[in-house]
Amino acid sequence: WEIMAGIWKLHSVTGSISGSSGGYQLARQPKPEKSPNFYTLEGGGTNAVVLAGEPFYNRYVYRAAVQHNSGTNGLVFLACERGGYFAFTARTDPATDRLILELWRQPAQADAPAVPLDAVQTELPAGQWLLLEVQLLDDRIICRADNIEVIRRKTPLPPGGRFGLFSNMSDGE
């Protein structure tokens, strides 16, 4: 994994974090043998992105379990070397406190705003784990949440790109 922006830390179910934080302990220790996600990658900061894969990857399926608590977080895919990428993310609707799943594109220009492509309002509350998935075909993106197709979008796609995770949380979240 290559950190492109933001702060990314490896977190274990027992509460220890590696990296510059020095680690900490939880007041109540969970049982590691009962955890489906013993290790998690925590992202923070403004438009934090961590990437894996190769720039020539195309027509792939990428999935990750994401726990949405606040801000915006999810999957990045078709990330180009020049800086642009697509994303499938979750955020909390402030009016309903339910999750909105969004497909959007970040242009390569650093100061360019994200371009929304599609969005789905859900009945899901914040704080739970979601299995987010994107499937890339020649000219379309299929987005799934917990193995249910929620967005299918026909759009011109770049010839390939890396994949990774996205997190955007303002200070204090």
Side-chain angles (χ1 to χ4, degrees), residues 58-103:
N58 62 3
R59 291 185 58 99
Y60 54 83
V61 176
Y62 171 52
R63 65 169 53 177
V66 175
Q67 184 180 29
H68 175 78
N69 289 310
S70 61
T72 301
N73 50 27
L75 309 179
V76 168
F77 54 98
L78 293 175
C80 301
E81 293 177 312
R82 299 180 316 277
Y85 56 83
F86 285 82
F88 177 45
T89 57
R91 70 176 173 85
T92 304
D93 181 356
T96 64
D97 286 331
R98 301 295 183 192
L99 295 186
I100 296 176
L101 302 177
E102 297 176 304
L103 173 64

XYZ file of all heavy atoms in Angstrom, residues 58-103:
363
model
N -7.105 -3.101 -15.274
C -8.423 -2.695 -15.763
C -9.354 -3.903 -15.667
O -8.915 -5.008 -15.375
C -8.352 -2.154 -17.194
C -7.864 -3.202 -18.179
O -7.629 -4.355 -17.828
N -7.682 -2.795 -19.415
N -10.614 -3.675 -15.857
C -11.616 -4.753 -15.793
C -11.426 -5.610 -14.546
O -11.305 -6.821 -14.625
C -11.577 -5.611 -17.054
C -12.062 -4.895 -18.286
C -12.140 -5.798 -19.494
N -13.008 -6.935 -19.246
C -14.271 -7.030 -19.647
N -14.811 -6.059 -20.336
N -14.996 -8.081 -19.376
N -11.408 -4.982 -13.393
C -11.227 -5.732 -12.156
C -12.417 -5.571 -11.219
O -13.267 -4.707 -11.415
C -9.925 -5.359 -11.445
C -9.687 -3.893 -11.136
C -10.242 -3.286 -10.009
C -8.851 -3.128 -11.945
C -9.977 -1.961 -9.716
C -8.574 -1.808 -11.654
C -9.144 -1.226 -10.529
O -8.878 0.088 -10.237
N -12.465 -6.448 -10.240
C -13.428 -6.352 -9.152
C -12.626 -6.057 -7.895
O -11.637 -6.724 -7.609
C -14.222 -7.672 -8.973
C -15.141 -7.580 -7.763
C -15.017 -7.988 -10.230
N -13.048 -5.042 -7.168
C -12.340 -4.641 -5.950
C -13.376 -4.483 -4.844
O -14.397 -3.836 -5.033
C -11.591 -3.328 -6.203
C -10.996 -2.706 -4.972
C -10.186 -3.431 -4.118
C -11.244 -1.378 -4.672
C -9.647 -2.845 -2.990
C -10.702 -0.785 -3.546
C -9.897 -1.528 -2.714
O -9.369 -0.949 -1.593
N -13.105 -5.090 -3.698
C -14.032 -4.991 -2.576
C -13.253 -4.834 -1.280
O -12.132 -5.320 -1.154
C -14.957 -6.193 -2.504
C -14.249 -7.489 -2.213
C -15.140 -8.648 -1.888
N -16.163 -8.870 -2.886
C -17.013 -9.856 -2.840
N -16.970 -10.723 -1.861
N -17.917 -10.015 -3.762
N -13.891 -4.169 -0.327
C -13.308 -4.005 1.005
C -14.434 -3.771 1.999
O -15.453 -3.150 1.673
C -12.334 -2.829 1.029
N -14.250 -4.281 3.190
C -15.192 -4.010 4.280
C -14.836 -2.647 4.859
O -13.683 -2.386 5.195
C -15.099 -5.093 5.343
N -15.839 -1.779 4.955
C -15.631 -0.412 5.410
C -16.589 -0.137 6.560
O -17.784 -0.407 6.449
C -15.899 0.586 4.253
C -15.808 2.016 4.721
C -14.946 0.334 3.101
N -16.045 0.406 7.652
C -16.919 0.827 8.748
C -17.066 2.335 8.672
O -16.093 3.068 8.829
C -16.346 0.430 10.108
C -17.292 0.789 11.241
C -16.757 0.410 12.606
O -15.555 0.370 12.817
N -17.649 0.132 13.522
N -18.284 2.773 8.410
C -18.535 4.204 8.293
C -19.023 4.738 9.632
O -20.051 4.304 10.137
C -19.579 4.508 7.217
C -19.924 5.955 7.181
N -19.104 6.880 6.592
C -20.948 6.637 7.717
C -19.631 8.070 6.757
N -20.752 7.952 7.437
N -18.264 5.685 10.193
C -18.675 6.329 11.435
C -18.983 7.801 11.213
O -19.987 8.302 11.673
C -17.596 6.172 12.509
C -17.513 4.746 12.999
O -18.522 4.154 13.338
N -16.322 4.177 13.005
N -18.097 8.492 10.512
C -18.313 9.909 10.229
C -17.515 10.289 8.996
O -16.743 9.489 8.474
C -17.875 10.760 11.429
O -16.502 10.566 11.693
N -17.718 11.507 8.512
C -17.019 11.938 7.315
C -17.489 11.167 6.098
O -18.655 10.805 5.970
N -16.559 10.888 5.203
C -16.820 10.114 3.988
C -15.720 9.085 3.862
O -14.549 9.415 4.039
C -16.807 11.033 2.742
O -17.796 12.042 2.905
C -17.082 10.260 1.476
N -16.077 7.836 3.562
C -15.042 6.820 3.368
C -15.525 5.749 2.411
O -16.717 5.580 2.199
C -14.571 6.218 4.694
C -15.707 5.761 5.575
O -16.780 5.418 5.106
N -15.480 5.755 6.864
N -14.563 5.059 1.808
C -14.918 4.017 0.856
C -13.762 3.621 -0.034
O -12.609 3.656 0.373
N -14.102 3.280 -1.292
C -13.158 2.731 -2.244
C -12.735 3.765 -3.279
O -13.542 4.576 -3.707
C -13.792 1.553 -2.995
C -14.448 0.451 -2.167
C -15.029 -0.610 -3.091
C -13.462 -0.144 -1.187
N -11.470 3.694 -3.671
C -10.928 4.470 -4.785
C -10.533 3.464 -5.849
O -10.014 2.394 -5.530
C -9.698 5.284 -4.337
C -8.947 5.853 -5.522
C -10.102 6.387 -3.396
N -10.760 3.783 -7.114
C -10.382 2.861 -8.180
C -10.099 3.647 -9.450
O -10.434 4.828 -9.553
C -11.469 1.799 -8.410
C -12.835 2.358 -8.667
C -13.305 2.491 -9.963
C -13.650 2.764 -7.621
C -14.567 3.010 -10.210
C -14.914 3.280 -7.855
C -15.371 3.406 -9.159
N -9.438 2.993 -10.394
C -8.984 3.625 -11.628
C -8.216 4.906 -11.334
O -8.377 5.939 -11.994
C -10.149 3.882 -12.589
C -10.817 2.628 -13.161
C -12.035 2.995 -14.000
C -9.827 1.825 -13.994
N -7.353 4.831 -10.306
C -6.517 5.973 -9.927
C -5.358 6.081 -10.909
O -4.579 5.147 -11.076
C -6.006 5.803 -8.502
N -5.266 7.222 -11.559
C -4.249 7.448 -12.581
C -2.993 8.045 -11.952
O -3.050 8.661 -10.892
C -4.776 8.394 -13.655
S -6.250 7.771 -14.483
N -1.895 7.895 -12.628
C -0.628 8.436 -12.142
C -0.659 9.959 -12.073
O 0.070 10.560 -11.288
C 0.520 7.963 -13.033
C 0.736 6.461 -12.917
C 1.816 5.957 -13.845
O 1.785 6.325 -15.048
O 2.666 5.202 -13.370
N -1.515 10.592 -12.868
C -1.626 12.052 -12.863
C -2.466 12.571 -11.701
O -2.587 13.766 -11.511
C -2.218 12.532 -14.180
C -1.377 12.181 -15.393
C -1.999 12.662 -16.691
N -3.427 12.436 -16.827
C -3.985 11.298 -17.232
N -3.227 10.271 -17.521
N -5.292 11.182 -17.338
N -3.129 11.690 -10.963
C -3.856 12.121 -9.783
C -5.357 11.954 -9.804
O -5.981 12.038 -8.772
N -5.989 11.750 -10.929
C -7.440 11.580 -10.963
C -7.837 10.164 -10.582
O -7.040 9.232 -10.690
N -9.074 10.005 -10.105
C -9.590 8.688 -9.736
C -11.101 8.711 -9.664
O -11.733 9.769 -9.667
C -9.001 8.209 -8.408
C -9.207 9.156 -7.241
C -10.397 9.170 -6.514
C -8.202 10.035 -6.860
C -10.579 10.028 -5.446
C -8.376 10.894 -5.779
C -9.559 10.886 -5.082
O -9.743 11.744 -4.025
N -11.678 7.521 -9.598
C -13.098 7.334 -9.309
C -13.207 6.860 -7.864
O -12.260 6.283 -7.321
C -13.704 6.268 -10.236
C -13.929 6.722 -11.644
C -12.898 6.720 -12.562
C -15.191 7.143 -12.052
C -13.102 7.123 -13.871
C -15.400 7.557 -13.371
C -14.360 7.543 -14.274
N -14.386 7.058 -7.251
C -14.586 6.599 -5.874
C -16.036 6.152 -5.670
O -16.958 6.694 -6.291
C -14.240 7.694 -4.879
N -16.203 5.159 -4.825
C -17.509 4.690 -4.369
C -17.452 4.773 -2.851
O -16.707 4.038 -2.209
C -17.769 3.260 -4.840
C -19.060 2.658 -4.359
C -20.245 3.360 -4.405
C -19.074 1.358 -3.875
C -21.442 2.793 -3.967
C -20.258 0.779 -3.431
C -21.445 1.502 -3.480
N -18.205 5.703 -2.271
C -18.059 6.023 -0.856
C -19.395 6.065 -0.119
O -20.456 6.128 -0.739
C -17.364 7.393 -0.686
O -18.121 8.387 -1.377
C -15.944 7.359 -1.217
N -19.293 6.072 1.196
C -20.447 6.221 2.085
C -20.272 7.499 2.901
O -19.160 7.821 3.326
C -20.555 5.016 3.016
N -21.360 8.193 3.102
C -21.372 9.351 4.009
C -22.735 9.395 4.683
O -23.711 8.827 4.185
C -21.065 10.655 3.283
C -22.133 11.133 2.360
C -21.785 12.503 1.756
N -22.753 12.873 0.739
C -23.910 13.471 0.986
N -24.253 13.789 2.222
N -24.752 13.760 -0.002
N -22.813 10.072 5.804
C -24.069 10.175 6.544
C -24.844 11.399 6.080
O -24.306 12.500 6.036
C -23.798 10.265 8.061
O -23.021 9.150 8.457
C -25.102 10.276 8.844
N -26.101 11.191 5.734
C -26.992 12.289 5.372
C -27.351 13.029 6.661
O -27.945 12.441 7.570
C -28.254 11.730 4.709
C -29.233 12.799 4.272
O -28.995 13.996 4.534
O -30.243 12.431 3.654
N -27.011 14.315 6.792
C -27.296 15.027 8.038
C -28.786 15.164 8.346
O -29.176 15.276 9.496
C -26.641 16.399 7.838
C -26.371 16.519 6.389
C -26.324 15.140 5.812
N -29.634 15.117 7.325
C -31.079 15.264 7.536
C -31.715 14.003 8.108
O -32.671 14.075 8.877
C -31.764 15.642 6.230
N -31.188 12.819 7.738
C -31.832 11.569 8.154
C -30.961 10.677 9.032
O -31.445 9.701 9.587
C -32.223 10.739 6.920
O -31.021 10.366 6.229
C -33.145 11.508 5.992
N -29.659 10.992 9.152
C -28.684 10.151 9.859
C -28.562 8.763 9.241
O -28.168 7.815 9.896
C -29.013 10.032 11.350
C -28.681 11.308 12.105
O -27.757 12.024 11.680
O -29.349 11.586 13.116
N -28.910 8.629 7.970
C -28.767 7.374 7.226
C -27.658 7.539 6.193
O -27.316 8.656 5.795
C -30.074 6.989 6.527
C -31.246 6.812 7.463
C -31.020 5.659 8.386
N -32.176 5.437 9.247
C -32.167 4.654 10.282
N -31.080 4.006 10.609
N -33.242 4.494 11.021
N -27.125 6.412 5.735
C -26.010 6.460 4.796
C -26.463 6.767 3.377
O -27.504 6.289 2.927
C -25.263 5.128 4.785
C -24.546 4.736 6.064
C -23.735 3.473 5.835
C -23.659 5.847 6.573
N -25.644 7.550 2.693
C -25.775 7.788 1.262
C -24.552 7.145 0.621
O -23.416 7.405 1.034
C -25.820 9.289 0.936
C -27.060 9.928 1.548
C -25.782 9.509 -0.581
C -27.129 11.429 1.356
N -24.784 6.292 -0.375
C -23.704 5.674 -1.130
C -23.555 6.461 -2.427
O -24.537 6.682 -3.132
C -24.015 4.210 -1.424
C -24.256 3.343 -0.187
C -24.640 1.928 -0.597
C -23.024 3.328 0.705
N -22.320 6.898 -2.711
C -22.094 7.779 -3.860
C -20.990 7.264 -4.763
O -19.965 6.781 -4.297
C -21.699 9.176 -3.376
C -22.779 9.850 -2.570
C -22.334 11.185 -2.012
O -21.315 11.224 -1.306
O -23.025 12.178 -2.280
N -21.207 7.414 -6.054
C -20.184 7.174 -7.071
C -19.787 8.545 -7.591
O -20.655 9.337 -7.972
C -20.747 6.306 -8.210
C -19.841 6.102 -9.419
C -18.567 5.345 -9.047
C -20.599 5.376 -10.521
